[in-house]
Amino acid sequence: MVTQMHRLDPAFADADPDAYMQTVLTLLPQVLMEEISLRTLETVVILVGYLHHKSLESVPNGQFSYILPIGQARSASLLLAMAVRMLYSLGGNRYCVIHEAEGRHLRAVFWLCYGLDKDMAIRFGYPPLMKDEDCDLQLPENYVLSSSDQQFFIKPLSSQELLFPSDIRLSLIKSKVYRLLYSDYGRAQPEARRLQYIRALDQELHDLKSSFPDSCWPDLFATENARNYSFHDLSLRGVNLHLEYYFCLGKIHSAVSACSQPSPQEWSFLPSSAELFYQESRSMLLYIYGIRDFLNWHTFW
């Protein structure tokens, strides 16, 4: 991670971050034999973050933001399973832990793991490790408001505000999308029930987008006439959030045929979903085309 952050420093010119990570992984058995603590949990979560996100992107204010995950998903999922077990052992899945020493920090780690877990589930089809019914899902009191443009633009963040690589409100929607549409339970539902779920999830996602500042709506950027300079002030987190929105919209409406590649015949009972799915795909391509000049060579999607 350090070698990625200082990749332009001559001292790190020949550094091999993957080799360093392999060396760290050889120490993992020793970490697992130690008593479970917040420090050991953080160690495993950092490894998950490296393997899952694979790359960090520097932003002008000196902070670093994770980008769209495409890393070593299988290895990351195994490490995340360890992290979740540690997290549960420490009580991080319960809100009442905030009253204990370092409890608020533990809850922040909980939300980070929750977001990673739901992201892997919806992207790679892995059953989630964390069940919502086993977790207190009350948002942190100091979590950034959905109406704040700090989620999207490069601005200094107050030390009193909490911000994650992705919006945890979106992670909650991802959890519902997987459980209601792509899990064994969701796939077994009759078409009428699945249609009901699709409409409800589409509305929930739309409500979240509507809570964003008007100037931050992804629709403003995913047009053929969008000016390049309109992307200039967006942080990578903001870009990622826009693309995640389109991805979730596509997953919701492509669930008409969750077990196979959709065909025109399979869309027949819900033609509006077909239209929204193709519109989402087009919007995502337009968006990526619009930000092409702002992506550096080391940025992976």
mmCIF file of all heavy atoms in Angstrom, residues 210-233:
data_model
loop_
_atom_site.group_PDB
_atom_site.id
_atom_site.type_symbol
_atom_site.label_atom_id
_atom_site.label_comp_id
_atom_site.label_asym_id
_atom_site.label_seq_id
_atom_site.Cartn_x
_atom_site.Cartn_y
_atom_site.Cartn_z
ATOM 1 N N SER A 210 -32.198 10.903 -5.283
ATOM 2 C CA SER A 210 -32.900 12.180 -5.126
ATOM 3 C C SER A 210 -32.422 12.947 -3.897
ATOM 4 O O SER A 210 -32.570 14.170 -3.833
ATOM 5 C CB SER A 210 -34.412 11.941 -5.029
ATOM 6 O OG SER A 210 -34.905 11.342 -6.212
ATOM 7 N N SER A 211 -31.855 12.228 -2.925
ATOM 8 C CA SER A 211 -31.362 12.897 -1.721
ATOM 9 C C SER A 211 -29.995 13.536 -1.941
ATOM 10 O O SER A 211 -29.546 14.341 -1.129
ATOM 11 C CB SER A 211 -31.283 11.904 -0.554
ATOM 12 O OG SER A 211 -30.255 10.942 -0.761
ATOM 13 N N PHE A 212 -29.321 13.174 -3.051
ATOM 14 C CA PHE A 212 -28.036 13.790 -3.368
ATOM 15 C C PHE A 212 -28.262 15.234 -3.810
ATOM 16 O O PHE A 212 -29.336 15.573 -4.320
ATOM 17 C CB PHE A 212 -27.330 13.029 -4.496
ATOM 18 C CG PHE A 212 -26.929 11.623 -4.148
ATOM 19 C CD1 PHE A 212 -26.809 10.653 -5.139
ATOM 20 C CD2 PHE A 212 -26.664 11.258 -2.836
ATOM 21 C CE1 PHE A 212 -26.438 9.356 -4.825
ATOM 22 C CE2 PHE A 212 -26.294 9.964 -2.516
ATOM 23 C CZ PHE A 212 -26.181 9.012 -3.508
ATOM 24 N N PRO A 213 -27.271 16.098 -3.646
ATOM 25 C CA PRO A 213 -27.401 17.465 -4.177
ATOM 26 C C PRO A 213 -27.693 17.430 -5.676
ATOM 27 O O PRO A 213 -27.192 16.560 -6.397
ATOM 28 C CB PRO A 213 -26.024 18.083 -3.887
ATOM 29 C CG PRO A 213 -25.475 17.282 -2.749
ATOM 30 C CD PRO A 213 -25.989 15.888 -2.946
ATOM 31 N N ASP A 214 -28.495 18.372 -6.148
ATOM 32 C CA ASP A 214 -28.886 18.383 -7.562
ATOM 33 C C ASP A 214 -27.679 18.381 -8.490
ATOM 34 O O ASP A 214 -27.704 17.771 -9.562
ATOM 35 C CB ASP A 214 -29.758 19.612 -7.855
ATOM 36 C CG ASP A 214 -31.100 19.541 -7.144
ATOM 37 O OD1 ASP A 214 -31.452 18.443 -6.671
ATOM 38 O OD2 ASP A 214 -31.786 20.576 -7.059
ATOM 39 N N SER A 215 -26.615 19.058 -8.082
ATOM 40 C CA SER A 215 -25.430 19.162 -8.938
ATOM 41 C C SER A 215 -24.608 17.879 -8.958
ATOM 42 O O SER A 215 -23.634 17.784 -9.714
ATOM 43 C CB SER A 215 -24.540 20.313 -8.460
ATOM 44 O OG SER A 215 -24.111 20.093 -7.117
ATOM 45 N N CYS A 216 -25.002 16.892 -8.146
ATOM 46 C CA CYS A 216 -24.230 15.650 -8.039
ATOM 47 C C CYS A 216 -24.963 14.445 -8.615
ATOM 48 O O CYS A 216 -24.487 13.316 -8.489
ATOM 49 C CB CYS A 216 -23.871 15.379 -6.576
ATOM 50 S SG CYS A 216 -22.900 16.672 -5.794
ATOM 51 N N TRP A 217 -26.102 14.660 -9.219
ATOM 52 C CA TRP A 217 -26.833 13.535 -9.793
ATOM 53 C C TRP A 217 -26.017 12.928 -10.939
ATOM 54 O O TRP A 217 -25.494 13.659 -11.797
ATOM 55 C CB TRP A 217 -28.187 14.002 -10.321
ATOM 56 C CG TRP A 217 -29.204 14.217 -9.245
ATOM 57 C CD1 TRP A 217 -28.963 14.466 -7.925
ATOM 58 C CD2 TRP A 217 -30.625 14.216 -9.402
ATOM 59 N NE1 TRP A 217 -30.138 14.621 -7.243
ATOM 60 C CE2 TRP A 217 -31.177 14.470 -8.121
ATOM 61 C CE3 TRP A 217 -31.476 14.030 -10.476
ATOM 62 C CZ2 TRP A 217 -32.549 14.536 -7.909
ATOM 63 C CZ3 TRP A 217 -32.846 14.094 -10.266
ATOM 64 C CH2 TRP A 217 -33.369 14.342 -8.995
ATOM 65 N N PRO A 218 -25.902 11.617 -10.993
ATOM 66 C CA PRO A 218 -25.113 10.992 -12.066
ATOM 67 C C PRO A 218 -25.662 11.278 -13.454
ATOM 68 O O PRO A 218 -24.907 11.323 -14.430
ATOM 69 C CB PRO A 218 -25.179 9.499 -11.727
ATOM 70 C CG PRO A 218 -26.369 9.342 -10.838
ATOM 71 C CD PRO A 218 -26.468 10.617 -10.070
ATOM 72 N N ASP A 219 -26.983 11.502 -13.559
ATOM 73 C CA ASP A 219 -27.594 11.743 -14.866
ATOM 74 C C ASP A 219 -27.025 12.989 -15.548
ATOM 75 O O ASP A 219 -27.022 13.085 -16.778
ATOM 76 C CB ASP A 219 -29.111 11.911 -14.720
ATOM 77 C CG ASP A 219 -29.744 10.746 -13.981
ATOM 78 O OD1 ASP A 219 -29.099 9.691 -13.903
ATOM 79 O OD2 ASP A 219 -30.870 10.893 -13.475
ATOM 80 N N LEU A 220 -26.546 13.944 -14.754
ATOM 81 C CA LEU A 220 -26.014 15.179 -15.329
ATOM 82 C C LEU A 220 -24.700 14.942 -16.064
ATOM 83 O O LEU A 220 -24.329 15.726 -16.944
ATOM 84 C CB LEU A 220 -25.792 16.221 -14.218
ATOM 85 C CG LEU A 220 -27.028 16.651 -13.422
ATOM 86 C CD1 LEU A 220 -26.626 17.637 -12.337
ATOM 87 C CD2 LEU A 220 -28.071 17.273 -14.355
ATOM 88 N N PHE A 221 -24.003 13.877 -15.684
ATOM 89 C CA PHE A 221 -22.684 13.615 -16.254
ATOM 90 C C PHE A 221 -22.729 12.566 -17.369
ATOM 91 O O PHE A 221 -21.829 12.517 -18.192
ATOM 92 C CB PHE A 221 -21.729 13.142 -15.157
ATOM 93 C CG PHE A 221 -21.545 14.133 -14.040
ATOM 94 C CD1 PHE A 221 -22.408 14.149 -12.954
ATOM 95 C CD2 PHE A 221 -20.516 15.054 -14.075
ATOM 96 C CE1 PHE A 221 -22.241 15.058 -11.921
ATOM 97 C CE2 PHE A 221 -20.336 15.970 -13.054
ATOM 98 C CZ PHE A 221 -21.203 15.975 -11.975
ATOM 99 N N ALA A 222 -23.753 11.728 -17.360
ATOM 100 C CA ALA A 222 -23.826 10.620 -18.323
ATOM 101 C C ALA A 222 -24.651 11.015 -19.540
ATOM 102 O O ALA A 222 -25.661 10.397 -19.871
ATOM 103 C CB ALA A 222 -24.415 9.383 -17.655
ATOM 104 N N THR A 223 -24.227 12.078 -20.207
ATOM 105 C CA THR A 223 -24.903 12.532 -21.418
ATOM 106 C C THR A 223 -23.869 12.781 -22.505
ATOM 107 O O THR A 223 -22.689 13.013 -22.223
ATOM 108 C CB THR A 223 -25.692 13.836 -21.167
ATOM 109 O OG1 THR A 223 -24.772 14.890 -20.850
ATOM 110 C CG2 THR A 223 -26.678 13.656 -20.021
ATOM 111 N N GLU A 224 -24.323 12.750 -23.729
ATOM 112 C CA GLU A 224 -23.408 12.984 -24.848
ATOM 113 C C GLU A 224 -22.897 14.417 -24.862
ATOM 114 O O GLU A 224 -21.834 14.701 -25.416
ATOM 115 C CB GLU A 224 -24.115 12.665 -26.165
ATOM 116 C CG GLU A 224 -24.493 11.200 -26.324
ATOM 117 C CD GLU A 224 -25.202 10.932 -27.634
ATOM 118 O OE1 GLU A 224 -25.447 11.909 -28.379
ATOM 119 O OE2 GLU A 224 -25.512 9.768 -27.923
ATOM 120 N N ASN A 225 -23.662 15.327 -24.251
ATOM 121 C CA ASN A 225 -23.300 16.743 -24.289
ATOM 122 C C ASN A 225 -22.557 17.204 -23.037
ATOM 123 O O ASN A 225 -22.277 18.392 -22.890
ATOM 124 C CB ASN A 225 -24.561 17.597 -24.457
ATOM 125 C CG ASN A 225 -25.301 17.275 -25.745
ATOM 126 O OD1 ASN A 225 -24.682 17.016 -26.771
ATOM 127 N ND2 ASN A 225 -26.631 17.278 -25.691
ATOM 128 N N ALA A 226 -22.256 16.273 -22.121
ATOM 129 C CA ALA A 226 -21.556 16.651 -20.892
ATOM 130 C C ALA A 226 -20.161 17.180 -21.219
ATOM 131 O O ALA A 226 -19.415 16.567 -21.981
ATOM 132 C CB ALA A 226 -21.458 15.449 -19.958
ATOM 133 N N ARG A 227 -19.823 18.325 -20.656
ATOM 134 C CA ARG A 227 -18.516 18.931 -20.888
ATOM 135 C C ARG A 227 -17.456 18.229 -20.049
ATOM 136 O O ARG A 227 -17.719 17.834 -18.911
ATOM 137 C CB ARG A 227 -18.550 20.410 -20.517
ATOM 138 C CG ARG A 227 -19.603 21.212 -21.271
ATOM 139 C CD ARG A 227 -19.257 21.334 -22.745
ATOM 140 N NE ARG A 227 -20.209 22.177 -23.456
ATOM 141 C CZ ARG A 227 -20.147 22.435 -24.755
ATOM 142 N NH1 ARG A 227 -19.179 21.903 -25.475
ATOM 143 N NH2 ARG A 227 -21.053 23.207 -25.327
ATOM 144 N N ASN A 228 -16.263 18.104 -20.580
ATOM 145 C CA ASN A 228 -15.188 17.446 -19.845
ATOM 146 C C ASN A 228 -14.891 18.134 -18.522
ATOM 147 O O ASN A 228 -14.598 17.491 -17.522
ATOM 148 C CB ASN A 228 -13.916 17.390 -20.694
ATOM 149 C CG ASN A 228 -13.977 16.281 -21.730
ATOM 150 O OD1 ASN A 228 -14.913 15.492 -21.743
ATOM 151 N ND2 ASN A 228 -12.986 16.227 -22.597
ATOM 152 N N TYR A 229 -14.972 19.467 -18.521
ATOM 153 C CA TYR A 229 -14.620 20.187 -17.298
ATOM 154 C C TYR A 229 -15.611 19.925 -16.169
ATOM 155 O O TYR A 229 -15.313 20.177 -15.006
ATOM 156 C CB TYR A 229 -14.507 21.689 -17.573
ATOM 157 C CG TYR A 229 -15.772 22.355 -18.069
ATOM 158 C CD1 TYR A 229 -16.832 22.645 -17.214
ATOM 159 C CD2 TYR A 229 -15.899 22.709 -19.416
ATOM 160 C CE1 TYR A 229 -17.988 23.255 -17.678
ATOM 161 C CE2 TYR A 229 -17.050 23.320 -19.888
ATOM 162 C CZ TYR A 229 -18.088 23.594 -19.015
ATOM 163 O OH TYR A 229 -19.231 24.195 -19.474
ATOM 164 N N SER A 230 -16.807 19.414 -16.499
ATOM 165 C CA SER A 230 -17.788 19.133 -15.448
ATOM 166 C C SER A 230 -17.325 18.006 -14.532
ATOM 167 O O SER A 230 -17.785 17.879 -13.405
ATOM 168 C CB SER A 230 -19.147 18.782 -16.066
ATOM 169 O OG SER A 230 -19.056 17.609 -16.850
ATOM 170 N N PHE A 231 -16.384 17.172 -15.020
ATOM 171 C CA PHE A 231 -15.861 16.077 -14.208
ATOM 172 C C PHE A 231 -14.656 16.509 -13.370
ATOM 173 O O PHE A 231 -14.196 15.752 -12.525
ATOM 174 C CB PHE A 231 -15.423 14.907 -15.106
ATOM 175 C CG PHE A 231 -16.550 14.243 -15.842
ATOM 176 C CD1 PHE A 231 -16.932 14.674 -17.101
ATOM 177 C CD2 PHE A 231 -17.231 13.177 -15.274
ATOM 178 C CE1 PHE A 231 -17.969 14.056 -17.785
ATOM 179 C CE2 PHE A 231 -18.267 12.554 -15.951
ATOM 180 C CZ PHE A 231 -18.637 12.995 -17.206
ATOM 181 N N HIS A 232 -14.157 17.703 -13.637
ATOM 182 C CA HIS A 232 -12.853 18.089 -13.099
ATOM 183 C C HIS A 232 -12.806 18.065 -11.581
ATOM 184 O O HIS A 232 -11.815 17.630 -10.982
ATOM 185 C CB HIS A 232 -12.479 19.482 -13.622
ATOM 186 C CG HIS A 232 -11.115 19.929 -13.207
ATOM 187 N ND1 HIS A 232 -10.889 20.666 -12.062
ATOM 188 C CD2 HIS A 232 -9.897 19.718 -13.765
ATOM 189 C CE1 HIS A 232 -9.600 20.903 -11.936
ATOM 190 N NE2 HIS A 232 -8.973 20.346 -12.953
ATOM 191 N N ASP A 233 -13.858 18.551 -10.925
ATOM 192 C CA ASP A 233 -13.841 18.668 -9.468
ATOM 193 C C ASP A 233 -14.336 17.418 -8.750
ATOM 194 O O ASP A 233 -14.322 17.367 -7.523
ATOM 195 C CB ASP A 233 -14.693 19.866 -9.027
ATOM 196 C CG ASP A 233 -14.090 21.187 -9.484
ATOM 197 O OD1 ASP A 233 -12.854 21.250 -9.602
ATOM 198 O OD2 ASP A 233 -14.853 22.138 -9.731
#
